[in-house]
Amino acid sequence: VEQYGYIPRPTRCLASGQEPCNSTAFTPTTPDPEACVDYQEIKVQELAGKLSMGTIPRAIPVVLEGDIVDSAKSGDHITVTGVVLYRWRAPVIGERPDISVILRASSVTVHAGDTVADGGASRDELFDAFGRFWTQNASRPMAARDEIVAAMCPRVYGLHSVKLAVLLVLLGGVARADTRGMRVRGEAHMLLVGDPGTAKSQFLKFAARLVPRAVLTTGVGSTSAGLTVTAVRDGAEWQLEAGALVLADRGICCIDEFGSIREADKATVLEAMEQQSISVAKAGIVCKLNARCSVLAAMNPKGRYDTSAPLTVNTALSSPLLSRFDLIMVLLDTRNDAWDEQVADFLLLGTDFAAETRDCFWTFDRLRAYVACAKSRLEPRASAAAERVLTRYYQLQRQRDPASSARTTIRLLESLIRLAQAHARLMFRDAALLCDAVMAVALMESTMLTASLLGSSDALHTSFPEDADAAYAETEALVLSRLGLDGLAEQQPGSS
């Protein structure tokens, strides 16, 4: 191991005895199969989320032998216990020696779940604390939900719909798999399309900090190999190095300037977004790697956004790629004097966010713990009333012929189910009720500039309602009326 498996050939026979051999003729021996062991080399890299700004993550080669070979895949979070060794190549006259440090592993532990910590509290203690919060606010559920949503990007004024949508994407839905191996993803994807200065990058950075396993990258200069998998030659062998989507497995991958990715490289993320895996066939290596992550992308429109043109024209993205996004928020910086005055007052007053969040129940650490607990502990299933609302809305969208026809596929119904389940997780429930389905429909309507139920809306100029529960009651009545399900609310007395 110390010399890359190289055994130097002796110059003469060194056998000792009464008469030294000193022979220079050697016959190679046949290796005994029972003396051979499995051997693998992997490269362990520091977690990018735990590094300070401007620090390049360091890596160290790890040697696996015996039973621990193939115990980890690319993108896994692992803990390795072993012995540190020096390794060097055979010395060559006139060249500098090649000496490196490796880790000879004795055990490898793969972390399936993400650890959360809030002041040293355990998962059970945090779960009980969150349960008490919802018990105390049982009479005002939507107002309590908005307290959690307000903790998202507190330095950004308003944007209630966008903050709620980003939080639901981080929570995600429930993956479904049958006995035949078919799997429907539970991770949600979201695309932010907007004019410059609409806080798109701020949401991406905050989301990357909020999720323990997150990768933040930019589309400028990103290639298909950098997003998926790249093959690197190491001596006479080839090795696979994971890209952004593989490293973000069971987490979130934030891609800024999504429109700057080359057209040929955009096709590489199609499989990762829907199948949640990446098939590799490079340098004689054929394998499949997991990429079970949510994609949160942001981009500027192609030129000035034309509301009369389809979404594919404004974004220059293909229909198959657009249909994979569960939510597409369009943020148009239109002239609004009242809104501009409110934003200016918010920025110029010099609010001390640290002092405000210190006294608030929903601090950043607690919000991070809440997302991790809700995602790992709760697996909500849709109720009959929620299924009726989502199915009826999907049927109405299929009957229409809107400018965004690329979005009205069967994936629209799957997206609605994921959003309803994510909202149920946000409300700390094990079942997706009528209110979760109504909020999923309302969010989907806010992504379409030519909305059919709630009328046209502007996601950028949405502020937090003063009475959240009353605002939801109005939204529920309007959605059920437009869907022709007026009597459904009376059948579900606990939905609102």
Side-chain angles (χ1 to χ4, degrees), residues 314-493:
N314 287 293
T315 59
L317 298 178
S318 60
S319 297
L321 187 57
L322 284 178
S323 65
R324 281 166 166 78
F325 285 102
D326 298 85
L327 288 173
I328 300 179
M329 288 284 183
V330 180
L331 307 177
L332 300 181
D333 190 11
T334 56
R335 293 181 177 86
N336 190 324
D337 295 338
W339 180 263
D340 294 340
E341 184 178 356
Q342 294 174 5
V343 173
D345 292 341
F346 179 78
L347 295 176
L348 296 177
L349 285 177
T351 307
D352 188 1
F353 298 100
E356 288 185 354
T357 56
R358 195 181 301 118
D359 300 331
C360 179
F361 178 81
W362 292 104
T363 60
F364 175 79
D365 293 334
R366 191 153 296 178
L367 179 62
R368 183 176 184 175
Y370 184 81
V371 172
C373 282
K375 196 170 184 179
S376 60
R377 295 287 189 95
L378 303 176
E379 293 187 358
R381 299 295 178 181
S383 62
E387 291 178 352
R388 286 187 61 187
V389 172
L390 299 181
T391 303
R392 181 59 180 161
Y393 178 74
Y394 171 69
Q395 292 173 346
L396 288 180
Q397 292 298 320
R398 291 286 291 177
Q399 294 172 4
R400 297 176 61 238
D401 187 19
S404 57
S405 58
R407 301 269 296 137
T408 54
T409 63
I410 190 61
R411 291 186 178 134
L412 175 63
L413 181 58
E414 296 178 352
S415 299
L416 291 170
I417 296 174
R418 279 189 289 268
L419 291 176
Q421 292 173 344
H423 193 270
R425 280 177 169 174
L426 178 59
M427 304 295 288
F428 220 61
R429 287 196 300 260
D430 280 327
L433 303 180
L434 176 63
C435 64
D436 303 315
V438 170
M439 290 308 303
V441 171
L443 270 180
M444 191 62 68
E445 283 287 292
S446 65
T447 64
M448 300 180 181
L449 294 180
T450 57
S452 59
L453 295 184
L454 305 180
S456 59
S457 61
D458 188 358
L460 181 65
H461 298 155
T462 54
S463 57
F464 284 78
E466 296 181 0
D467 190 348
D469 294 276
Y472 165 75
E474 295 178 2
T475 303
E476 180 187 274
L478 181 58
V479 169
L480 295 181
S481 174
R482 297 292 176 85
L483 294 178
L485 302 173
D486 300 284
L488 198 60
E490 287 75 9
Q491 302 174 12
Q492 305 289 325

Side-chain angles (χ1 to χ4, degrees), residues 138-174:
S139 60
R140 47 188 294 273
M142 292 300 167
R145 181 208 65 181
D146 281 355
E147 291 182 12
I148 305 176
V149 177
M152 285 285 300
C153 282
R155 294 180 180 272
V156 176
Y157 179 77
L159 276 75
H160 175 260
S161 299
V162 182
K163 292 181 179 181
L164 178 60
V166 173
L167 191 54
L168 294 187
V169 169
L170 297 181
L171 289 169
V174 180

Side-chain angles (χ1 to χ4, degrees), residues 70-332:
D70 290 334
S71 59
K73 294 183 179 180
S74 298
D76 288 342
H77 283 201
I78 62 175
T79 299
V80 183
T81 304
V83 181
V84 179
L85 301 174
Y86 282 108
R87 184 164 66 171
W88 62 90
R89 296 189 182 275
V92 179
I93 299 176
E95 294 185 5
R96 297 181 62 181
D98 183 9
I99 303 176
S100 59
V101 178
I102 65 170
L103 186 64
R104 191 171 190 172
S106 57
S107 69
V108 176
T109 304
V110 180
H111 301 288
D114 299 318
T115 58
V116 295
D118 180 26
S122 64
R123 277 185 180 269
D124 295 335
E125 293 174 352
L126 290 172
F127 196 82
D128 295 339
F130 299 145
R132 289 192 300 270
F133 170 80
W134 284 103
T135 303
Q136 296 170 1
N137 295 276
S139 60
R140 47 188 294 273
M142 292 300 167
R145 181 208 65 181
D146 281 355
E147 291 182 12
I148 305 176
V149 177
M152 285 285 300
C153 282
R155 294 180 180 272
V156 176
Y157 179 77
L159 276 75
H160 175 260
S161 299
V162 182
K163 292 181 179 181
L164 178 60
V166 173
L167 191 54
L168 294 187
V169 169
L170 297 181
L171 289 169
V174 180
R176 305 190 306 276
D178 57 11
T179 56
R180 294 172 295 179
M182 295 296 295
R183 181 180 183 272
V184 179
R185 63 180 170 94
E187 292 77 10
H189 307 311
M190 180 177 176
L191 176 64
L192 294 174
V193 183
D195 297 328
T198 51
K200 300 186 299 295
S201 299
Q202 295 296 327
F203 283 109
L204 265 62
K205 293 179 181 178
F206 192 87
R209 291 174 52 211
L210 197 62
V211 179
R213 181 178 295 190
V215 176
L216 179 61
T217 182
T218 179
V220 180
S222 294
T223 61
S224 59
L227 291 174
T228 55
V229 176
T230 179
V232 179
R233 189 180 185 91
D234 185 10
E237 298 181 353
W238 288 86
Q239 294 181 352
L240 293 179
E241 291 190 358
L245 293 171
V246 180
L247 291 176
D249 184 37
R250 294 190 181 276
I252 185 170
C253 181
C254 302
I255 307 176
D256 203 357
E257 302 294 340
F258 191 73
S260 300
I261 303 178
R262 291 179 298 183
E263 192 64 34
D265 298 333
K266 292 176 184 176
T268 60
V269 303
L270 293 177
E271 180 189 3
M273 292 182 65
E274 188 62 34
Q275 307 301 329
Q276 300 286 278
S277 62
I278 294 177
S279 301
V280 182
K282 295 183 179 181
I285 302 175
V286 180
C287 63
K288 180 175 289 188
L289 301 176
N290 290 325
R292 296 160 295 184
C293 63
S294 298
V295 175
L296 181 58
M299 62 175 295
N300 294 326
K302 184 181 178 181
R304 187 171 181 84
Y305 195 93
D306 185 5
T307 55
S308 61
L311 198 59
T312 54
V313 176
N314 287 293
T315 59
L317 298 178
S318 60
S319 297
L321 187 57
L322 284 178
S323 65
R324 281 166 166 78
F325 285 102
D326 298 85
L327 288 173
I328 300 179
M329 288 284 183
V330 180
L331 307 177
L332 300 181

